[in-house]
Amino acid sequence: MASVNKVIIVGNLGRDPEIRYMPSGDAIANIAVATSYKSKDRNTGEQKELTEWHRISFFGRLAEIVGQYLKKGSSVYVEGRLQTRKYTDKDGVEKYATDIIAENMQMLGGRAGMGGGDNMDDGGGYEAPPQRQAPAPRPQMAPPAPAPRPAPRPAPNFSDMDDDIPF
């Protein structure tokens, strides 16, 4: 049976990205993104806004871009997958944490949403290259040829029309 592990998050950064580097020199960036959900309380009928926090990890070139352009408060769209990890806390208790491993990211909200980056267009999409594979070359496509124009029709000649019109 086929399965899907895909997450899409649109929200705002709660703090500046944390950037680290592995011994190989590859970058790792971690961010915390807040998403909101509005619901009505069943008892009081009052509108409530619930905020959920998501830990998101970026690797390689995507991590470098996150560190360079995202800041606290930036709006971001992230696609990725869920990954659960097991760890031991400082008291020796084993715990589990579920993180999002980012595969694609797009900055939202123009320059202000990107943390005030200089010389940038309004947003931009970035996709993580496949892990441990050489990037595939982009196919070069020729611009589409213009559609041929239809041949001009001759002007109607009303003198050729039949006068036997039944009305």
Side-chain angles (χ1 to χ4, degrees), residues 43-63:
N43 299 328
T44 64
E46 180 182 340
Q47 274 286 48
K48 296 173 101 179
E49 184 172 355
L50 304 169
T51 301
E52 185 75 30
W53 288 93
H54 310 276
R55 285 189 306 256
I56 304 175
S57 298
F58 298 84
F59 297 92
R61 178 69 181 131
L62 196 54

Side-chain angles (χ1 to χ4, degrees), residues 79-161:
E79 289 181 17
R81 60 184 167 82
L82 292 177
Q83 182 172 323
T84 302
R85 59 186 168 88
K86 180 177 165 181
Y87 68 97
T88 305
D89 71 3
K90 62 183 176 188
D91 298 326
V93 178
E94 287 187 350
K95 294 187 175 186
Y96 292 88
T98 301
D99 298 327
I100 297 168
I101 306 301
E103 296 168 350
N104 187 1
M105 181 272 299
Q106 185 167 352
M107 296 173 274
L108 303 174
R111 292 177 190 217
M114 294 186 304
D118 294 333
N119 300 322
M120 289 292 296
D121 294 328
D122 289 339
Y126 300 96
E127 187 168 331
Q131 297 267 338
R132 300 178 190 222
Q133 294 179 0
R138 291 185 143 200
Q140 297 295 326
M141 297 179 62
R149 293 184 179 233
R153 287 196 215 169
N157 186 351
F158 294 110
S159 63
D160 292 342
M161 296 184 84

